[in-house]
Amino acid sequence: MKFFGVLAGVSAAVLAATPVSGAEPERSAERIKAHVAFLADDLMQGREAGSTGHAIAANYVASQLAQIGVKPGAAGGSYFQSVPMSGFRPADEGRFAVVAKGGPATPLVFGEDYLPGRNPLAAATALQAPMVFVGFGVVAGKRNDYAGLDVKGKIVVALAGAPKTFQTEERAYYANGRTKRLQAEKRGAVGFISVNTPSDEARQPFANAARQWKSWGMSWRESSGQAFTPAGSTPELARISVKGAAKLFVGAPKPLEQVYAAAETGAPPRFALPSRLDAALNTEPKTLESVNVVGLIEGSDPILKNEVVVLSAHLDHIGVSTNPVNGDAVNNGALDNAGGVATTLEVARAFLAGKAPRRTLLFLLNTAEEKGLIGSEYFALNPTTASPIVANVNLDMPILTYDFIDVVAFGAERSTLGPAVTRAGARMGVKLLPDPLPDEGLFTRSDHFRFVERGVPSVFLMTGFENGGQAAFTSFLRDNYHKPSDDLAQPIDYAVGAKFARLNYEIAREIADADQKPAWNKGDFFGELFKPRP
């Protein structure tokens, strides 16, 4: 494998981390420690998708699967599914101005009023078009924020987020930019603007986003060589701050303060804005390649082996920062998500050490989760197995710094996977608790959701909030999430990692050996939304 020659640069401590004698939980903890130490080493340079560091990490994981005895799960007897990708970022600050009818142009100020978007399909985008404010821009059931509005040939302006009256996970789905732009495109809009609300900026200050305005976005490439771009004819032009929104709404039928107040109850007014927007947006493209790592354990049942359960964890992280923190710029991603990858490898080992599963298990260590669930989307649309995928269990960022006694399985209440998690946890004295962060909409924000979009019942597993879990999770988000400090200096308890791996094994065993395949609960929102149509 072409990157193995680079491994000479790994610290001696990493390469010396080998299993020790003793009870199996101790050996499991030592193996997890070794995996995390390797994957979070500075040599990986933060494992950004398409980088040499990510390629080294992928080769390492493939070699571990081979040592365990997991079969290659990609085409041609390989552990690697190639993922052709496109990268794109703002080439410059762009230029935006609000032009009142018969009046002067009012420039928007970069970093204060707006941040430029990206257009994966064009290096230069120039638009001069009227603007229409569509509230949240949500179309759901009887609600249609476009009702009575003509947006054809115009720029849609929509508030970020979705009505608070929606169920939290459904709200997260409708708040997603892709979901909104698809509705705008369907009605002929030529551009899309997202406007912050005061509550958005209280939670995530606009200045924080401004520091990362030139980061790379990514997508996978279609066979034509074009970046996969839903709503490509309605590009996101810019993100507008509360301060910038005041310029967009000058002379509007309703004052901006009234719009924001009404948005809190879920029903902001909607209207054509009296001004046009002059927008110039330049996008820098690049092409790159990355891989998903795929392994397979064949099922033993002559019938059920033709159904596949996918166990996934993302291998990538966010790479190297342009602004070092305390002299450190490498975002090692020890818990996000080297811990998830390490525990997945232990699940594979446990299955091969015991009886074979009845259903086939596919282990997916995917790329570019941090870039928008790209690797999992590519796999879900281009699976390496011809057999139907009947479930996905996804691991992302388990907090392995305390002894968890409960687990959160986002989406558990939506399908028969919930009872499976409950039964598996009960065997270990681990409870299944409800989503402790409902307003975050986490069910839509990790790799499992790409399988949900293909109609596959899925859950996303995370250590729970009891026994100190809430404090551990909160402090991780505050101090270490997507920062160089997510490294081996954290108080990682590898015995907890072994426990989490065992729990995931028990859950996968429940699903793989059940007589009936997983099913969505009757009438579930996502089950109905993404039900395969003839």
Side-chain angles (χ1 to χ4, degrees), residues 430-477:
V430 175
K431 298 176 290 185
L432 171 64
L433 291 189
D435 181 356
L437 300 165
D439 288 340
E440 295 295 325
L442 291 174
F443 182 65
T444 68
R445 290 171 52 187
S446 193
D447 289 305
H448 64 285
F449 195 67
R450 296 309 188 204
F451 291 93
V452 171
E453 291 175 323
R454 308 306 296 169
V456 177
S458 306
V459 289
F460 161 27
L461 295 170
M462 190 179 80
T463 46
F465 268 29
E466 293 190 356
N467 199 37
Q470 182 172 3
F473 183 82
T474 302
S475 64
F476 176 81
L477 286 187

Side-chain angles (χ1 to χ4, degrees), residues 241-530:
S241 68
V242 171
K243 182 178 179 181
K247 297 179 179 179
L248 263 62
F249 279 75
V250 168
K254 301 287 184 182
L256 183 60
E257 293 76 14
Q258 185 176 332
V259 169
Y260 282 145
E264 291 298 311
T265 66
R270 302 165 297 108
F271 41 76
L273 289 166
S275 303
R276 77 168 193 265
L277 184 72
D278 287 4
L281 176 68
N282 298 308
T283 302
E284 176 187 353
K286 70 175 179 179
T287 58
L288 61 155
E289 303 290 330
S290 194
V291 295
N292 292 327
V293 182
V294 189
L296 195 74
I297 296 177
E298 293 181 358
S300 61
D301 187 279
I303 303 299
L304 296 183
K305 71 178 182 181
N306 296 311
E307 296 178 348
V308 177
V309 177
V310 174
L311 306 179
S312 60
H314 74 88
L315 179 59
D316 69 304
H317 195 53
I318 63 170
V320 180
S321 298
T322 55
N323 299 315
V325 178
N326 298 323
D328 187 2
V330 178
N331 297 285
N332 302 91
L335 292 180
D336 184 14
N337 186 38
V341 173
T343 52
T344 300
L345 291 172
E346 277 299 282
V347 173
R349 182 184 294 274
F351 269 101
L352 288 171
K355 68 174 184 177
R358 296 178 70 194
R359 288 183 174 84
T360 293
L361 297 179
L362 188 146
F363 296 86
L364 174 64
L365 295 314
N366 52 276
T367 188
E369 186 271 350
E370 302 287 5
K371 300 299 184 181
L373 320 182
I374 304 303
S376 56
E377 179 169 56
Y378 187 81
F379 180 90
L381 293 171
N382 303 277
T384 60
T385 173
S387 299
I389 296 170
V390 298
N392 172 230
V393 179
N394 182 54
L395 309 184
D396 190 354
M397 206 173 77
I399 306 302
L400 305 178
T401 57
Y402 69 102
D403 186 13
F404 67 94
I405 61 173
D406 63 310
V407 66
V408 178
F410 299 102
E413 75 284 1
R414 297 187 173 278
S415 74
T416 56
L417 292 177
V421 174
T422 299
R423 290 191 298 270
R427 294 198 288 272
M428 295 180 59
V430 175
K431 298 176 290 185
L432 171 64
L433 291 189
D435 181 356
L437 300 165
D439 288 340
E440 295 295 325
L442 291 174
F443 182 65
T444 68
R445 290 171 52 187
S446 193
D447 289 305
H448 64 285
F449 195 67
R450 296 309 188 204
F451 291 93
V452 171
E453 291 175 323
R454 308 306 296 169
V456 177
S458 306
V459 289
F460 161 27
L461 295 170
M462 190 179 80
T463 46
F465 268 29
E466 293 190 356
N467 199 37
Q470 182 172 3
F473 183 82
T474 302
S475 64
F476 176 81
L477 286 187
R478 181 187 66 239
D479 301 330
N480 302 322
Y481 175 67
H482 282 194
K483 295 178 181 177
S485 54
D486 181 9
D487 60 13
L488 299 176
Q490 298 171 99
I492 300 173
D493 187 336
Y494 295 101
V496 171
K499 179 179 177 180
F500 190 64
R502 185 67 194 184
L503 174 64
N504 282 281
Y505 165 81
E506 294 291 346
I507 293 169
R509 175 65 73 180
E510 275 282 335
I511 301 166
D513 288 356
D515 291 336
Q516 300 296 320
K517 68 181 180 181
W520 294 100
N521 293 338
K522 185 176 180 180
D524 178 77
F525 172 79
F526 290 107
E528 291 297 319
L529 181 66
F530 297 118

Side-chain angles (χ1 to χ4, degrees), residues 52-78:
T52 298
H54 183 275
I56 295 172
N59 276 279
Y60 173 81
V61 170
S63 74
Q64 293 302 309
L65 291 173
Q67 285 184 358
I68 293 168
V70 178
K71 295 181 178 180
S78 173

Side-chain angles (χ1 to χ4, degrees), residues 142-211:
K142 294 181 180 180
R143 181 186 181 116
N144 183 354
D145 286 352
Y146 288 86
L149 298 174
D150 176 15
V151 301
K152 187 174 183 179
K154 300 172 185 176
I155 295 170
V156 160
V157 177
L159 296 175
K164 294 179 180 179
T165 53
F166 283 30
Q167 190 274 340
T168 54
E169 291 169 346
E170 296 171 23
R171 183 167 79 227
Y173 168 74
Y174 285 114
N176 183 270
R178 179 190 291 193
T179 304
K180 291 189 177 189
R181 289 192 301 107
L182 284 168
Q183 292 294 345
E185 181 186 57
K186 189 182 296 184
R187 292 161 176 80
V190 295
F192 186 89
I193 294 280
S194 179
V195 173
N196 275 15
T197 66
S199 57
D200 292 327
E201 293 194 8
R203 187 174 64 254
Q204 295 180 323
F206 195 75
N208 289 351
R211 285 195 291 269

Side-chain angles (χ1 to χ4, degrees), residues 106-132:
T106 302
L108 299 183
V109 180
F110 167 79
E112 295 182 11
D113 296 334
Y114 78 93
L115 295 173
R118 311 173 179 102
N119 187 349
L121 302 183
T125 303
L127 284 174
Q128 295 181 352
M131 295 182 288
V132 179

